[in-house]
Amino acid sequence: MEAFDPAELPELLKLYYRRLFPYAQYYRWLNYGGVVKNYFQHREFSFTLKDDIYIRYQSFNNQSDLEKEMQKMNPYKIDIGAVYSHRPNQHNTVKLGAFQAQEKELVFDIDMTDYDDVRRCCSSADICSKCWTLMTMAIHIIDRALKEDFGFKHRLWVYSGRRGVHCWVCDESVRKLSSAVRSGIVEYLSVVKGGQDVKKKVHLSEKIHPFVRKSINIIKKYFEDYALVDQDILENKESWDKILALVPETMHDELQQSFQKHHNSLQRWEHLKKAASRCQNNSKNDKCGPWLEWEIMLQYCFPRLDINVSKGINHLLKSPFSVHPKTGRISVPIDLQKVDQFDPFTVPTISSICHELDVISTKEEEKENGAESDIKHRTRDYKKTSLAPFVKVFEQFLENLDKSRKGELLKKSDLQKDF
C-alpha cells in the first residue's frame, strides 16, 4: 500500500474531493428522502482546515453547494452536527436563544485510548491487531443491544481512521430523542464505571441483567485468544497483581502462591475460576461466585463509551468518508456481516486511492479516443479504487433506510384511507 506522507495531504485532498468523495450517497443519507422540509439545509457541518483552523456552523442548500464548498476549502476533517431550527450559516442573524439544535442521529464513539489501563500491547494513539479485538467485541456487544434490546434498525458503524469506531443510529424516531433519553440509553449500555483512580470498575451481584449476560456470552468467544494469549493478562506478578485487586482479599494469598506454580495465563485463569467457586461454596461469601470471573472479563473487554458524545444533541462527530490527517486513512463504513474480518490496517489511505486513480487514468488516456472519453467520466471514479467496496456497504445501508421510509409512508397513507 502507498505510504502516507502528511506533507502531501493538501494535494491529495484536492484530488479526493474533486474525484473520489461519494457526494451523491452522502447527500442521499443526510437528506433522508427530503421528507422533512429543509432538513439538509438546517444541518451543521464543521470543517477543520490546514493548521487547525476550525470553522463551525457551515450549512448548504443542496448537494452541488456542498460539493463546491468542499472542493474550495479542502477540509482536513469534516464533522457533522445537529439539525437546527434555522440555517446554521445564518445563526448570527437569529435572535438570541432562538437558534436551537433540534434533531440528530444517536451517536456512539468508542476510542482505544479509554482502554489503556487494560491493554498491554499499545498505549495512547497506537493500535495493533492484538488490541483491535476490543473494537470487534465493542461493535458486537453494542450493536446487538441497539438492535435487539432497543429495536433500532438503521445503525451505521464507521472506522474513525485511526484508533476507534463510531456508530450512527439513524432511525427517524431516534433522531428526535431528547438529551435525557440519550443519556438513559448510554447509561443502560455502560457497565465499566469509574475513572483512573478507581481500581475495580465493574460490580455484579447474583441477579445479572440479561444485557450483561448476553454481553458476557459475546466476550467469552474472544476472551481466551484475546486476553489470555494476545494480552497475556496473567503473565507475571505485575500483571496479575492488577487482577488480584479485583477479587476479595481473602483469596489473595492462595492465588499469589498458586500463580507462582503455574506457567502461563491460561493455567492461572483456570485456577482463578476454580478458586472463585471454592470460595463461594466455603464461605457463602456474596463477593464470590461465577460473577467474579465475569467482573474481570467485563473490566478487561467490555466497551467503554464516551458518554458526552452520545447525550448532547449538538455534539459534533467526525463524518464518514472524512480523512484522518495523521494516518491518511479514510473513515470507512464497516460491514456488519464481516465485523470479525475488518482490519484497520488494510483500510485505504488517501495516498493509496489517489495512486490507484492515477494509474487507471494513465492507462485510460493511452487507450482512449474522443468518443469514449465521455463515458469514462460518467462512471464514478471511486468505483475504480479500493474505496468501492466501502461505498457499497454505505449504499446497502441507504437502501434499507429508503425501504423503511417507503414502508412508513405506505402505512400512513393506508391509515388515512381508513378514515
Side-chain angles (χ1 to χ4, degrees):
M1 189 175 275
E2 195 77 1
F4 169 67
D5 175 1
E8 294 172 358
L9 193 58
E11 284 309 306
L12 294 169
L13 284 169
K14 277 182 195 163
L15 185 59
Y16 179 63
Y17 290 131
R18 205 176 71 241
R19 294 184 58 186
L20 293 165
F21 191 90
Y23 291 105
Q25 294 85 339
Y26 192 74
Y27 176 74
R28 184 178 153 200
W29 170 38
L30 293 171
N31 191 43
Y32 288 105
V35 175
V36 178
K37 192 170 180 289
N38 290 330
Y39 203 75
F40 180 79
Q41 291 76 4
H42 286 195
R43 170 80 70 167
E44 177 188 4
F45 294 85
S46 100
F47 291 166
T48 308
L49 311 183
K50 195 172 187 292
D51 304 322
D52 282 335
I53 295 165
Y54 187 55
I55 312 174
R56 276 199 71 172
Y57 301 120
Q58 305 269 83
S59 59
F60 309 102
N61 286 320
N62 49 38
Q63 184 186 325
S64 139
D65 202 11
L66 171 81
E67 282 189 43
K68 283 190 192 116
E69 203 55 32
M70 276 167 61
Q71 289 167 7
K72 188 176 107 187
M73 308 286 256
N74 294 310
Y76 273 44
K77 179 170 173 247
I78 306 159
D79 286 291
I80 299 175
V83 176
Y84 282 84
S85 49
H86 303 76
R87 290 177 188 240
N89 61 4
Q90 296 169 4
H91 75 282
N92 286 329
T93 64
V94 179
K95 70 170 184 288
L96 214 59
F99 180 66
Q100 296 288 334
Q102 292 183 321
E103 288 192 19
K104 200 186 76 188
E105 297 75 10
L106 172 63
V107 293
F108 297 95
D109 178 6
I110 308 172
D111 191 324
M112 199 74 89
T113 46
D114 294 325
Y115 295 84
D116 277 0
D117 60 319
V118 292
R119 58 183 184 138
R120 301 180 66 214
C121 48
C122 308
S123 63
S124 67
D126 294 331
I127 62 163
C128 71
S129 57
K130 284 184 177 179
C131 53
W132 187 257
T133 309
L134 285 166
M135 293 297 134
T136 307
M137 289 189 276
I139 295 172
H140 282 304
I141 289 169
I142 300 298
D143 193 69
R144 187 214 60 78
L146 294 172
K147 179 183 175 182
E148 295 175 14
D149 303 358
F150 291 101
F152 299 154
K153 288 195 178 73
H154 304 288
R155 309 166 315 278
L156 178 69
W157 285 89
V158 182
Y159 171 49
S160 73
R162 190 177 199 180
R163 55 172 187 232
V165 292
H166 301 153
C167 176
W168 299 76
V169 186
C170 302
D171 303 39
E172 187 188 349
S173 57
V174 177
R175 302 197 303 266
K176 295 176 162 58
L177 294 177
S178 68
S179 185
V181 174
R182 290 169 198 250
S183 297
I185 294 169
V186 189
E187 187 55 41
Y188 174 93
L189 297 169
S190 301
V191 173
V192 180
K193 293 175 181 177
Q196 284 175 325
D197 43 347
V198 179
K199 278 187 181 162
K200 189 172 169 69
K201 295 182 165 77
V202 180
H203 296 273
L204 301 178
S205 62
E206 271 186 82
K207 288 193 176 70
I208 290 180
H209 191 285
F211 164 64
V212 175
R213 202 173 277 283
K214 286 174 181 168
S215 301
I216 291 165
N217 287 337
I218 291 170
I219 292 169
K220 277 179 180 169
K221 294 177 195 161
Y222 298 90
F223 189 75
E224 186 175 307
D225 284 347
Y226 164 70
L228 303 176
V229 178
D230 288 346
Q231 295 293 329
D232 210 355
I233 61 172
L234 293 164
E235 180 191 10
N236 52 31
K237 188 169 185 322
E238 186 194 351
S239 56
W240 75 56
D241 278 348
K242 282 187 175 174
I243 286 183
L244 291 183
L246 311 178
V247 305
E249 270 184 38
T250 48
M251 296 172 67
H252 286 197
D253 292 345
E254 193 267 323
L255 286 174
Q256 278 289 9
Q257 284 171 6
S258 54
F259 281 178
Q260 306 278 1
K261 294 176 196 153
H262 292 298
H263 298 297
N264 57 37
S265 287
L266 288 156
Q267 292 176 359
R268 291 179 187 121
W269 181 252
E270 281 310 309
H271 185 86
L272 185 143
K273 291 200 294 193
K274 286 181 188 133
S277 58
R278 272 203 308 275
C279 159
Q280 184 188 19
N281 297 337
N282 296 346
S283 61
K284 298 290 173 245
N285 185 336
D286 65 347
K287 288 187 180 142
C288 293
W291 57 87
L292 197 66
E293 63 177 272
W294 298 338
E295 285 175 339
I296 297 167
M297 290 167 80
L298 291 164
Q299 180 145 340
Y300 274 73
C301 301
F302 189 83
R304 300 179 174 204
L305 302 171
D306 184 331
I307 292 173
N308 294 324
V309 173
S310 302
K311 72 177 188 193
I313 297 176
N314 56 357
H315 205 292
L316 294 152
L317 185 63
K318 181 185 196 171
S319 168
F321 298 103
S322 192
V323 178
H324 197 293
K326 296 267 194 322
T327 61
R329 294 200 192 276
I330 314 284
S331 278
V332 291
I334 296 171
D335 184 346
L336 281 173
Q337 307 303 313
K338 297 179 185 165
V339 174
D340 291 82
Q341 287 79 52
F342 182 82
D343 177 356
F345 300 102
T346 59
V347 166
T349 63
I350 188 168
S351 345
S352 67
I353 56 174
C354 288
H355 178 69
E356 288 165 6
L357 193 62
D358 279 347
V359 170
I360 288 158
S361 304
T362 313
K363 281 182 186 163
E364 281 177 342
E365 275 161 24
E366 287 164 8
K367 284 197 301 198
E368 187 177 278
N369 60 46
E372 289 166 352
S373 145
D374 258 10
I375 301 163
K376 183 191 91 176
H377 287 296
R378 258 181 257 154
T379 59
R380 288 302 309 174
D381 283 329
Y382 70 79
K383 285 189 174 167
K384 305 167 190 168
T385 73
S386 49
L387 193 60
F390 299 100
V391 179
K392 208 166 178 47
V393 172
F394 190 45
E395 285 173 339
Q396 191 52 61
F397 167 77
L398 296 174
E399 275 307 297
N400 293 335
L401 264 175
D402 280 353
K403 274 186 203 149
S404 251
R405 203 161 32 233
K406 284 172 186 145
E408 286 302 312
L409 290 170
L410 280 171
K411 257 191 232 165
K412 275 182 191 161
S413 67
D414 283 353
L415 282 171
Q416 278 158 357
K417 280 179 202 157
D418 292 344
F419 285 106

